[in-house]
Amino acid sequence: MSSSSSLIKRLALGLPFGIALGFGMMTNPETVQAAGITLDLGSTTSQQTGTSVQLLLLMTLLSLAPAILMMMTSFTRIIIVLSFVRNALGTQQLPPNQVLVGLALFLTFFIMIPTWNQINTNALQPYMNNQITQTEALNNAEEPLRIFMFKQTREKDLELFVGLSKMERPKTYRDVPTYVLIPAFVISELKTAFQMGFAIFIPFIVIDMIVASTLMSIGMMMLPPMMVSLPFKILLFVLVDGWHLVVESLVTSFK
């Protein structure tokens, strides 16, 4: 159990550290120096072998970066709410999936930038300057992410996974393992996203009901109500500046 927990912890903490590495190179190019790495398949020393293994581990962690981006950041809530908006409007594939995912990604970077900055300042930069060890860097990178996830996680969901893991009841948040916190955070995000989606659906459902009742009252039962209500829903969404309201609600929901 301890070995599996250690592996999960390394995966959970190594991925955001790898993301922070790339993010730090984009935001602070003057402070990040790229080190030249040469792989020699001939005679190698133990130190070179260790470096090669670390490089292979880093590449493996970075290959799982999309999963960590979706599961441990604000991305899940954002993409679900944006999908609810499209379904409520009934515009089929408009906006396209690429547009929704791109908007969700940039909103995620906007929301998570204070966390990334803390990881860059407390973990990435000291590690790049050889001021701290790899273990210390991972621990420093863990803390900002845990703080973010704890703020968005419901205690009920946290208690669920604490009970399922059959661990002793933690006295403080620091006693909650990261592998317990992550699934609790994810299901909390799903519930919040569906609550916001329900609120988004209400005005559009009202329009559909009004249009359907009107068509039935004038005897036009063969005309699909969705065809008639779609322009009215789009008009309402534009008049109230819907995208502005949705994005504002999403961003402020994480404050």
Side-chain angles (χ1 to χ4, degrees):
M1 182 66 181
S2 59
S3 60
S4 61
S5 300
S6 177
L7 176 60
I8 294 174
K9 182 176 180 180
R10 278 190 170 273
L11 287 174
L13 302 184
L15 287 175
F17 187 66
I19 295 174
L21 173 61
F23 186 77
M25 294 179 68
M26 291 188 294
T27 56
N28 299 299
E30 70 279 3
T31 61
V32 179
Q33 299 179 356
I37 299 177
T38 303
L39 293 178
D40 186 6
L41 297 179
S43 59
T44 58
T45 64
S46 59
Q47 182 177 1
Q48 291 173 332
T49 303
T51 302
S52 301
V53 172
Q54 289 180 0
L55 177 62
L56 179 61
L57 178 61
L58 177 61
M59 296 302 294
T60 303
L61 293 176
L62 289 178
S63 67
L64 298 176
I68 200 68
L69 177 64
M70 291 187 293
M71 295 294 102
M72 296 178 62
T73 64
S74 58
F75 181 83
T76 301
R77 183 189 305 183
I78 294 173
I79 192 63
I80 291 177
V81 171
L82 293 180
S83 299
F84 267 116
V85 172
R86 185 174 65 181
N87 291 335
L89 285 171
T91 53
Q92 302 296 327
Q93 295 298 320
L94 293 177
N97 291 332
Q98 294 86 342
V99 175
L100 290 184
V101 173
L103 177 59
L105 282 174
F106 282 106
L107 287 177
T108 299
F109 291 144
F110 178 80
I111 293 171
M112 297 298 297
I113 195 169
T115 304
W116 299 140
N117 287 337
Q118 292 182 31
I119 295 176
N120 182 59
T121 302
N122 301 330
L124 178 61
Q125 293 303 322
Y127 178 71
M128 296 289 290
N129 295 328
N130 296 322
Q131 296 176 355
I132 58 177
T133 63
Q134 181 181 7
T135 302
E136 292 175 334
L138 290 174
N139 291 333
N140 292 344
E142 171 189 19
E143 192 61 26
L145 276 174
R146 284 173 57 88
I147 292 175
F148 171 80
M149 288 189 290
F150 273 124
K151 288 181 179 179
Q152 310 302 326
T153 304
R154 294 177 172 83
E155 291 187 4
K156 181 179 180 181
D157 297 329
L158 197 59
E159 291 176 357
L160 169 64
F161 285 96
V162 168
L164 292 176
S165 64
K166 298 181 179 180
M167 59 177 293
E168 296 183 359
R169 184 178 180 85
K171 297 180 180 179
T172 63
Y173 285 139
R174 291 184 178 273
D175 298 331
V176 178
T178 303
Y179 72 88
V180 172
L181 173 60
I182 293 175
F185 167 75
V186 172
I187 65 173
S188 292
E189 286 293 281
L190 290 174
K191 181 176 181 179
T192 302
F194 273 74
Q195 288 175 339
M196 297 180 68
F198 174 77
I200 291 172
F201 255 99
I202 291 177
F204 299 109
I205 292 177
V206 172
I207 294 178
D208 287 334
M209 293 176 61
I210 293 175
V211 170
S213 300
T214 304
L215 292 177
M216 290 184 63
S217 64
I218 60 179
M220 300 180 64
M221 292 179 292
M222 299 300 296
L223 183 63
M226 290 293 296
M227 183 180 299
V228 179
S229 63
L230 179 58
F232 291 100
K233 290 192 289 187
I234 295 177
L235 178 62
L236 173 65
F237 195 71
V238 172
L239 289 178
V240 300
D241 200 359
W243 290 114
H244 175 89
L245 294 176
V246 170
V247 171
E248 182 182 14
S249 299
L250 279 170
V251 174
T252 55
S253 67
F254 288 96
K255 301 300 182 181

